[in-house]
Amino acid sequence: MTTPRIPRQPDVDQPHPDHDRGLEFDLNTLISRRSLGLFLGAGGAVAALAACTPAGSTGSTSLATTPSTGAASSAAASGTESAAATPTLTRAIAECGVEIPQETAGPYPGDGSNGPNVLEASGVVRRDITSSFGTASAKAEGVPLTFTLTLLDNANGCTPMAGAAVYAWHCDRDGKYSMYDSSLKNENYLRGVQEADANGQVTFTSIFPAAYSGRWPHIHFEVFESMNNATAAGQVLAVSQIALPKAACDDVYATPGYERSITNMTRTTLKSDNVFGDDGGIYQLATMSGSAAAGYTAGLNVTI
């Protein structure tokens, strides 16, 4: 029997009353692409996964996945579902067990809980979040970063959370957040929503965020049970943050444009950070590969 997921604020179970065209408009476009065949394909992925998943746990749940490639990533970008279980997904399920720590959304969520709500804007469903959308046009400059989250349902045997939605956001290379900084109030870059494919994975194309005063370099995200629920902060299943490894940060911050981050990195550690300090970010530290010259990829298992 499947155990139903309960939002963190169960009293809020209806779409945002101010929701008009925004995400709902995007959802209609996505739904029009779907078919019964895709649905059955997703079921096939679970069956195939059951056949190839090792029995029992093989180690720490803190180990992160690497981003998916090929058809799975393309499906995530277009709003469709992939039917092929990846080796990284199989490993993620074998290592599943500890749920992702719940963290603050911070003062700049843009989800309606503290000021503006980008989740109501048509165009927010996208893979590439480097540029603003709608009537805005600015593009965030910086070292390329592609990050993938693998969502696993702990209450139901660590099955991939196909069809769940993720809203991700972070600061730019100057440490500023769109929609909130006085110079970026009309911009909405580095914010976007993706629907998890049959592997429970979402992938975003972005830039490496800065290290600003008082915080370790990070990426915020919220997980919703479905795209239909991704319209307001009150319906989230989980709110957490990705911690970026020091080696990658040091490499990136040595490049032009990130000069302020060098000083800020010397003032904060994972242990002293007010979010990751409880456990040193062990369950939120991304696995990364790449270089500042070629760009980085990052992956994180998110057990809910």
Side-chain angles (χ1 to χ4, degrees), residues 58-80:
T58 61
S60 170
T61 59
S62 66
L63 295 177
T65 66
T66 53
S68 61
T69 58
S73 294
S74 298
S78 63
T80 60

Side-chain angles (χ1 to χ4, degrees), residues 239-266:
V239 182
S240 197
Q241 299 178 28
I242 305 170
L244 302 178
K246 185 177 187 302
C249 293
D250 289 343
D251 183 32
V252 170
Y253 298 158
T255 63
Y258 286 95
E259 289 81 4
R260 297 178 184 175
S261 294
I262 297 175
T263 301
N264 291 330
M265 278 291 288
T266 65

Side-chain angles (χ1 to χ4, degrees), residues 119-155:
L119 299 178
E120 296 179 336
S122 179
V124 71
V125 180
R126 58 198 186 131
R127 171 175 173 143
D128 190 336
I129 62 175
T130 55
S131 299
S132 290
F133 60 93
T135 59
S137 60
K139 181 177 181 179
E141 300 295 333
V143 171
L145 172 65
T146 298
F147 60 95
T148 296
L149 300 179
T150 300
L151 311 179
L152 302 173
D153 188 347
N154 197 39

Side-chain angles (χ1 to χ4, degrees), residues 223-284:
V223 180
F224 298 82
E225 188 171 26
S226 68
M227 293 288 280
N228 286 324
N229 285 350
T231 57
Q235 301 190 77
V236 296
L237 294 177
V239 182
S240 197
Q241 299 178 28
I242 305 170
L244 302 178
K246 185 177 187 302
C249 293
D250 289 343
D251 183 32
V252 170
Y253 298 158
T255 63
Y258 286 95
E259 289 81 4
R260 297 178 184 175
S261 294
I262 297 175
T263 301
N264 291 330
M265 278 291 288
T266 65
R267 298 172 177 171
T268 308
T269 66
L270 277 168
K271 283 292 187 181
S272 68
D273 185 78
N274 61 10
V275 171
F276 304 125
D278 290 345
D279 56 13
I282 186 173
Y283 300 114
Q284 294 153 282

Side-chain angles (χ1 to χ4, degrees), residues 80-97:
T80 60
E81 295 179 349
S82 167
T86 64
T88 54
L89 174 61
T90 300
R91 177 181 174 185
I93 291 176
E95 296 168 347
C96 176

Side-chain angles (χ1 to χ4, degrees), residues 155-182:
N156 291 295
C158 290
T159 54
M161 295 180 65
V166 172
Y167 166 45
W169 73 97
H170 62 82
C171 70
D172 61 20
R173 70 178 179 184
D174 294 319
K176 300 177 180 179
Y177 284 86
S178 66
M179 303 175 70
Y180 289 87
D181 187 84
S182 59

Side-chain angles (χ1 to χ4, degrees), residues 90-109:
T90 300
R91 177 181 174 185
I93 291 176
E95 296 168 347
C96 176
V98 178
E99 295 185 2
I100 193 79
Q102 297 283 349
E103 307 290 8
T104 176
Y108 314 116

